[in-house]
Amino acid sequence: MIEDLSLAPAEIAAKFINQTHRHVFLTGKAGTGKTTFLKEIIAKTHKKTIIVAPTGIAAINAGGVTIHSLFQLPFGTFIPRILTENQFAGQHYHNPQTLVKHLGMNAVKRRMLLDLELLIIDEVSMLRADLLDAIDFVLRFVRRNNAGFGGVQLLFIGDLHQLPPVVKSTEWNLLSSCYSSAFFFDALALRNQPPVYIELEKIYRQDDNTFISLLNNLRNNKTNEADIALLEQYYKADFEPSLKDNYITLTTHNHKADGLNKSNLEKLKSKSFFYKAHIEGDFPENAFPAEGTLELKVGAQVMFIKNDPRGEQRFFNGKLAVVTHLSNSFIEVQPDGEAETLVLEQYSWKNIKYTTNKTTNEIEEDVIGTFTQFPLKLAWAITVHKSQGLTFDKAIIDIGDAFAPGQIYVALSRLRSLNGLVLTSLMGNRVIRADQNVTYFSRLKEQQGDLQTQIKKERGLYIRHILINSFDFTHLDIYTYEHAFSYSKDEKRSVKQHYAKWAEQLQTDIKALKVNADKFLKQIERIFATENTEQLNILSERIEAATQYFNPLLQQYSRSVFDTIEEIKQQKQTKTYHRELLDLEAMIYEQYKRIAKAGLLLRAAVNNIELDKEAFASLNENPEREAQILRAYTLANDEELTEETYFSKPKKVKKAQKVKEPKEDTKAITLRLFKEGKTPTEIAQERKMAKATIEGHLAYFVAQQIINAKEVIAPKKLEEILHVIREHKTIKLGELKEILPKNIDYAEIKIGIAAYLAEGE
């Protein structure tokens, strides 16, 4: 039974985010509060979250990073499959194989993507389908998880009736072979996982019903003759306001807006003052949120580009003002409609990157640069693109040559009412019509049924997903297995080799723990398969008991890794091994946290309580581990290791003859050698790595259909593995090893699992 049958769309969206695993598309007309919802979700959700956007400016405004920087994607067209040799010959594009070459991720970024639970994509109207499929590929690849987006939940935020994705005709020649349209919703990754369609409906910007009706018709591609006639009433072809009228002109192209601002500024006879932004750290020019050098004169019409940082609501983003006094150190303005003037302070925008907290394993923001400038810009004119999110009382709209349907809707929806509208060009039906693909996708809202009813079902599926994920030791087992095999017998003199037996014992212990975890997973599945009103209470009791068994052992293994770190720190040339051990401990600790978090979520479900970020704060309060981490990151000479000095590649390599291959490209190197015709054994010998490790690399590419499994292992073995997987309906490494003949090893089983997963997709 749904607790509240009158939930607002924003509340429904929040419940889908916090209580389910479904992807969500949150949309709404201009002024309905999408940005407010984004901020509230970030502040309250218990999930590990990252925000991205298609452009640098959109990312800065959303408080996130660009898609390309987070996922290390090259610019250009992405084709999610390997084309035939002659297909589109001569045209440049990227595919899964070429993307792998760009994934030079350090340990911090890889760890962060492994822990990610919720990815928020803002300004999704500009997101191309091929870029979303590229994100899907990277997450699957890095997380070693062939589920959509590697098992990560996505929240898409934006208005598809605004600015569409940009696709050149030459790019569409390629993309049209895979996609129905360039919009994100036509990405292949969403075919079997369509998002829940939730629309915010209450409009906070306009209260004029006639104007709201017009905007709705524009947005929904239902413009009629009455709408056209209404707009023509505001047509004034030669309208030229005085500089004191406080009109802003919305136009379609940058050169038009820049020209109007420059010419109006020149008309003022007062002295020019120049204010140069102060930039610290890393802040790329293409992401500048304001002018690098702001030129102003007394009498200039300006616009605030931030809300009042004091929270006193003296001004807001998009409010117009007139400059009343200038000096080299301050700016005084009079906001439109206000009797008093304001002396402005400079404002700092942050450029962030995401990182993983060394102690808690939580995803955090790390400020890598700041841009400090007065939050103003000249505002006699602005482009429609840059006006998104702003509100004006009066505007001159010049969009007769609009090059995208959404531009007209965006421009008109910036106004509070029709009373402030002046049109300097007429709009024909050609430019008003919305994109048919968007219209078709919007029908999903009516077809998906009652969302509040779906929340209860999806909540149960999410609990099952969390529990199974928490007690699935597969990734930890494989990681420790590969770690144990990384102790090369050729390195007899290395410090690392002295700990080979310790690593083998750890791998044996975790394998034994996984056997018990697999048995417990079967118990969970049996409980879920039984229709029982006490199901949640029974699960809660079983999880409590399991937590008391598994987590003390995981803590014991974690301490063992820390003890080894303390030993090797005293010796030279152990930096790489030190890093490997920290990564290993992070995997163990994350398994521990998942189990603890699952218990909290289940108890909350039993008591019908919705948990927020604060409810999980206790999981991060671990004084013992905090002390262990502090010691682990402190070298024998008391120098503290940082991400920059520890995880980054060395800037100088003196011995050019023995340059080490970048660790983050290791799988790509294996793929290249394999494509050159070398066998896994030959690659292992050349790279001085265990053959099982090389075959593990190749398993990733088999899962992505980049290489054929029969090229890696004998076809008969492959068929035998696939037969057992299908017959026993399991892809668990330990179970398959027990069933299959002894001559089939773990590495070959992983190839078979990868082939099965690829076959299923």
Side-chain angles (χ1 to χ4, degrees), residues 317-333:
N317 186 17
K319 187 174 182 63
L320 298 181
V322 174
V323 175
T324 54
H325 190 75
L326 295 171
S327 76
N328 292 328
S329 58
F330 75 89
I331 298 174
E332 181 187 83
V333 300

Side-chain angles (χ1 to χ4, degrees), residues 71-74 78 82 94-105 110 134 137-138 140-142 662-672 697 700-702 704-707:
F71 295 103
Q72 295 188 346
L73 297 173
F78 173 72
I82 307 297
H94 297 283
N95 58 36
Q97 186 172 343
T98 62
L99 279 195
V100 172
K101 298 178 182 178
H102 289 83
L103 297 183
M105 293 186 178
R110 189 174 292 274
F137 170 78
V138 172
R140 290 179 188 232
F141 182 83
V142 172
K663 187 173 183 63
E664 60 273 15
D665 290 332
T666 184
K667 295 177 182 63
I669 295 169
T670 295
L671 177 63
R672 175 173 54 79
H697 292 174
Y700 306 146
F701 298 108
V702 170
Q704 300 301 329
Q705 301 182 353
I706 293 175
I707 58 178

Side-chain angles (χ1 to χ4, degrees), residues 57 135 186 328 356 376 380 404 437 463 575-576 594:
I57 293 176
I135 294 172
D186 276 323
N328 292 328
T356 299
L376 295 173
W380 284 288
N437 292 290
I463 291 173
K575 179 179 175 181
T576 300
R594 281 202 297 267

Side-chain angles (χ1 to χ4, degrees), residues 130-395:
D130 60 322
L131 185 56
L132 184 57
D133 277 334
I135 294 172
D136 171 59
F137 170 78
V138 172
L139 286 172
R140 290 179 188 232
F141 182 83
V142 172
R143 293 166 64 91
R144 307 181 184 187
N145 185 336
N146 215 36
F149 300 99
V152 174
Q153 181 184 26
L154 269 67
L155 167 60
F156 305 99
I157 299 180
D159 185 354
L160 294 175
H161 296 274
Q162 297 193 14
L163 301 180
V166 177
V167 183
K168 299 176 182 176
S169 59
T170 53
E171 292 176 316
W172 184 241
N173 288 339
L174 285 165
L175 294 175
S176 60
S177 66
C178 299
Y179 300 104
S180 299
S181 81
F183 288 96
F184 86 95
F185 51 75
D186 276 323
L188 304 186
L190 292 180
R191 282 187 176 178
N192 297 321
Q193 293 181 295
V196 176
Y197 192 119
I198 300 177
E199 184 169 4
L200 302 179
E201 297 171 344
K202 181 174 174 57
I203 298 175
Y204 296 95
R205 183 175 293 143
Q206 294 95 12
D207 57 11
D208 179 344
N209 290 331
T210 300
F211 191 25
I212 290 174
S213 175
L214 169 65
L215 292 175
N216 285 341
N217 288 345
L218 280 169
R219 191 171 185 272
N220 298 322
N221 197 25
K222 296 179 179 178
T223 311
N224 53 46
E225 292 182 2
D227 295 322
I228 301 298
L230 176 63
L231 287 173
E232 287 178 352
Q233 294 177 26
Y234 299 91
Y235 173 58
K236 299 178 182 179
D238 301 319
F239 182 78
E240 289 189 14
S242 73
L243 295 182
K244 297 180 180 181
D245 283 344
N246 295 331
Y247 274 94
I248 186 169
T249 297
L250 300 185
T251 188
T252 51
H253 294 77
N254 279 314
H255 69 88
K256 286 188 175 182
D258 293 341
L260 281 169
N261 284 326
K262 183 178 179 180
S263 63
N264 282 331
L265 187 65
E266 289 174 350
K267 292 177 183 178
L268 297 175
K269 303 304 180 183
S270 51
K271 174 185 175 182
S272 284
F273 283 80
F274 296 88
Y275 302 92
K276 190 173 182 179
H278 178 65
I279 301 167
E280 290 186 355
D282 181 10
F283 212 112
E285 187 174 353
N286 62 2
F288 282 2
E291 297 291 340
T293 300
L294 176 64
E295 180 184 3
L296 294 177
K297 292 181 180 181
V298 172
Q301 179 168 294
V302 293
M303 179 177 70
F304 295 98
I305 53 177
K306 287 297 296 183
N307 293 332
D308 184 0
R310 292 185 186 177
E312 298 174 5
Q313 299 181 341
R314 298 173 300 163
F315 55 86
F316 55 84
N317 186 17
K319 187 174 182 63
L320 298 181
V322 174
V323 175
T324 54
H325 190 75
L326 295 171
S327 76
N328 292 328
S329 58
F330 75 89
I331 298 174
E332 181 187 83
V333 300
Q334 183 168 15
D336 185 30
E338 303 292 336
E340 297 182 0
T341 60
L342 294 177
V343 175
L344 296 182
E345 306 90 3
Q346 290 189 324
Y347 179 88
S348 290
W349 287 263
K350 298 176 182 178
N351 183 27
I352 69 164
K353 70 174 180 179
Y354 288 99
T355 187
T356 299
N357 183 290
K358 293 181 293 190
T359 302
T360 66
N361 274 20
E362 293 297 305
I363 295 174
E364 294 182 342
E365 295 179 4
D366 184 12
V367 178
I368 60 174
T370 58
F371 177 96
T372 304
Q373 177 61 287
F374 289 101
L376 295 173
K377 69 183 301 178
L378 291 176
W380 284 288
I382 189 174
T383 62
V384 175
H385 187 118
K386 293 178 181 177
S387 74
Q388 289 197 85
L390 304 181
T391 303
F392 306 119
D393 290 316
K394 295 190 290 187

Side-chain angles (χ1 to χ4, degrees), residues 29-159:
K29 307 175 182 70
T32 51
K34 296 185 291 296
T35 300
T36 300
F37 178 86
L38 170 60
K39 292 178 180 178
E40 290 181 353
I41 281 293
I42 291 299
K44 295 179 180 179
T45 185
H46 60 82
K47 296 183 178 180
K48 295 183 179 181
T49 305
I50 289 177
I51 307 171
V52 295
T55 67
I57 293 176
I60 294 294
N61 290 336
V65 297
T66 65
I67 291 171
H68 287 84
S69 66
L70 178 66
F71 295 103
Q72 295 188 346
L73 297 173
F75 289 98
T77 305
F78 173 72
I79 301 297
R81 57 187 174 84
I82 307 297
L83 300 178
T84 61
E85 187 173 345
N86 295 325
Q87 194 174 11
F88 304 111
Q91 295 191 50
H92 180 70
Y93 61 91
H94 297 283
N95 58 36
Q97 186 172 343
T98 62
L99 279 195
V100 172
K101 298 178 182 178
H102 289 83
L103 297 183
M105 293 186 178
N106 63 26
V108 173
K109 180 166 284 190
R110 189 174 292 274
R111 175 80 261 150
M112 184 172 61
L113 293 183
L114 284 171
D115 296 341
L116 181 63
E117 296 175 283
L118 173 65
L119 177 68
I120 300 177
I121 304 181
D122 197 24
E123 297 291 2
V124 75
S125 70
M126 296 184 285
L127 176 64
R128 283 176 25 170
D130 60 322
L131 185 56
L132 184 57
D133 277 334
I135 294 172
D136 171 59
F137 170 78
V138 172
L139 286 172
R140 290 179 188 232
F141 182 83
V142 172
R143 293 166 64 91
R144 307 181 184 187
N145 185 336
N146 215 36
F149 300 99
V152 174
Q153 181 184 26
L154 269 67
L155 167 60
F156 305 99
I157 299 180
D159 185 354

Side-chain angles (χ1 to χ4, degrees), residues 691-715:
K691 180 184 175 184
T693 301
I694 298 302
E695 290 175 322
H697 292 174
L698 297 177
Y700 306 146
F701 298 108
V702 170
Q704 300 301 329
Q705 301 182 353
I706 293 175
I707 58 178
N708 192 313
K710 293 180 180 179
E711 300 176 62
V712 185
I713 61 174

